[in-house]
């Protein structure tokens, strides 16, 4: 069975400082991994996805994630946080056959001025 | 392409009543997924369709829940005899099935409150 674990339920950073949201995955085969963001009262938006083409994946709004097989990790980073980045972030793995998504518990990112 | 739409956006009902939600996917997408999200949790898979065929249902989907996708277009999710535990956000997503890692596009969700 596949799963993802988000290591922090809440992360707080100051505006302009780096962001690191941590995610570990478990999969019996090469996984497809995603990060989605959910702003209050808005739908889930795809930030980026990993499909084995490149281990460093660039997404929207300056976010990146690096796939590390040896560490079974897929951490999300951004060099400089903006107030508008405050939201709930989900690390997700997809089931290869059905495509259904398996979500982590989510990390709430707070950005302080 | 206006994205995935869901209707209604909010629904308040009394315990024991039936409710039905609708999802309109992106027009060329052949897969449609339903998820449920409770407060403070990540979304959980309920069921999915490829075209009009319902191919998998989660164990979360009790016999009070039924979903359809007639003609492979829009989908409906019905909950019969609602219970307070059904209160949640119901999310719909659609995708174009490819060999690997299709991207699912989510609708805004229907928030259900059962009193």
């Amino acid at each position: 069975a596949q799963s993802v674990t988000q290591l922090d339920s809440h992360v707080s950073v100051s505006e302009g400082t780096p962001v690191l949201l941590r995610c570990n995955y478990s999969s019996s085969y090469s996984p497809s991994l995603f990060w989605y963001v959910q702003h209050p009262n808005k739908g889930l938006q795809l930030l980026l996805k990993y499909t084995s083409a490149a281990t460093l994946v660039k997404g929207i709004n300056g976010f990146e994630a690096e796939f590390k097989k040896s560490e079974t990790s897929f951490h999300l980073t951004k060099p400089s946080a903006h107030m508008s980045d405050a939201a709930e972030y989900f690390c997700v793995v997809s089931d290869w056959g059905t495509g259904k998504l398996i979500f982590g518990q989510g990390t709430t990112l707070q950005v302080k001025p | 392409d206006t994205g995935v739409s869901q209707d209604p956006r909010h629904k308040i009902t009394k315990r024991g009543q039936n409710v039905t939600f609708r999802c309109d996917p992106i027009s060329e997408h052949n897969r449609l997924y339903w998820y449920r999200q409770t407060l403070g949790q990540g979304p959980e898979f309920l069921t999915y369709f490829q075209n009009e065929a319902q191919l998998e249902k989660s164990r979360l989907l009790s016999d009070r829940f039924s979903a359809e996708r007639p003609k492979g277009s829009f989908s409906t999710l019905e909950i019969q005899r609602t219970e307070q535990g059904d209160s949640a956000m119901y999310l719909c997503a659609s995708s174009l099935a490819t060999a690997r890692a299709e991207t699912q596009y989510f609708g805004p969700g229907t928030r259900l409150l059962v009193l």
Side-chain angles (χ1 to χ4, degrees):
Chain A
Q2 298 180 95
S3 65
V4 288
T5 302
Q6 294 183 243
L7 302 177
D8 307 289
S9 59
H10 188 271
V11 169
S12 181
V13 301
S14 297
E15 190 175 22
T17 65
V19 175
L20 170 63
L21 305 183
R22 299 182 297 163
C23 173
N24 287 349
Y25 70 89
S26 174
S27 177
S28 53
Y29 46 80
S30 181
S32 293
L33 294 162
F34 307 78
W35 277 96
Y36 277 83
V37 62
Q38 188 173 39
H39 287 91
N41 300 316
K42 292 193 176 180
L44 284 157
Q45 182 183 20
L46 178 69
L47 278 178
L48 50 81
K49 68 178 181 182
Y50 166 77
T51 59
S52 78
T55 56
L56 182 62
V57 183
K58 294 185 184 298
I60 62 171
N61 301 334
F63 284 94
E64 293 184 348
E66 187 171 7
F67 174 76
K68 292 187 176 180
K69 185 176 180 180
S70 60
E71 299 176 9
T72 62
S73 69
F74 189 58
H75 301 335
L76 182 70
T77 60
K78 183 173 181 178
S80 176
H82 191 272
M83 295 297 291
S84 61
D85 294 329
E88 189 79 12
Y89 290 79
F90 293 99
C91 182
V92 184
V93 64
S94 74
D95 179 87
W96 190 86
T98 65
K100 68 182 179 185
L101 301 181
I102 300 151
F103 285 76
Q105 294 285 80
T107 298
T108 303
L109 176 64
Q110 180 187 22
V111 182
K112 297 177 290 186
Chain B
D1 176 6
T2 56
V4 179
S5 61
Q6 293 186 245
D7 184 70
R9 295 289 305 275
H10 303 272
K11 179 71 177 179
I12 300 174
T13 191
K14 293 183 179 179
R15 184 164 49 94
Q17 298 294 303
N18 299 343
V19 295
T20 300
F21 310 142
R22 177 180 171 124
C23 171
D24 286 272
I26 294 170
S27 58
E28 67 269 24
H29 285 181
N30 56 353
R31 282 188 175 177
L32 186 149
Y33 297 82
W34 285 98
Y35 296 86
R36 181 170 69 187
Q37 184 178 21
T38 54
L39 206 59
Q41 303 294 318
E44 295 175 292
F45 169 79
L46 292 179
T47 188
Y48 92 102
F49 295 83
Q50 179 142 335
N51 301 313
E52 66 275 10
Q54 187 175 16
L55 297 185
E56 184 170 327
K57 294 193 291 186
S58 163
R59 281 169 287 182
L60 292 175
L61 215 63
S62 76
D63 56 6
R64 296 184 297 106
F65 288 70
S66 62
E68 294 182 340
R69 192 184 183 198
K71 302 179 183 178
S73 56
F74 69 92
S75 176
T76 58
L77 178 68
E78 181 184 15
I79 309 175
Q80 295 183 325
R81 306 180 303 281
T82 52
E83 302 173 355
Q84 288 183 327
D86 297 331
S87 296
M89 175 77 87
Y90 290 84
L91 296 166
C92 175
S94 71
S95 68
L96 186 62
T98 57
R100 184 166 173 79
E102 67 211 53
T103 296
Q104 291 185 26
Y105 296 88
F106 283 81
T110 294
R111 186 174 296 281
L112 172 66
L113 178 61
V114 181
L115 302 176

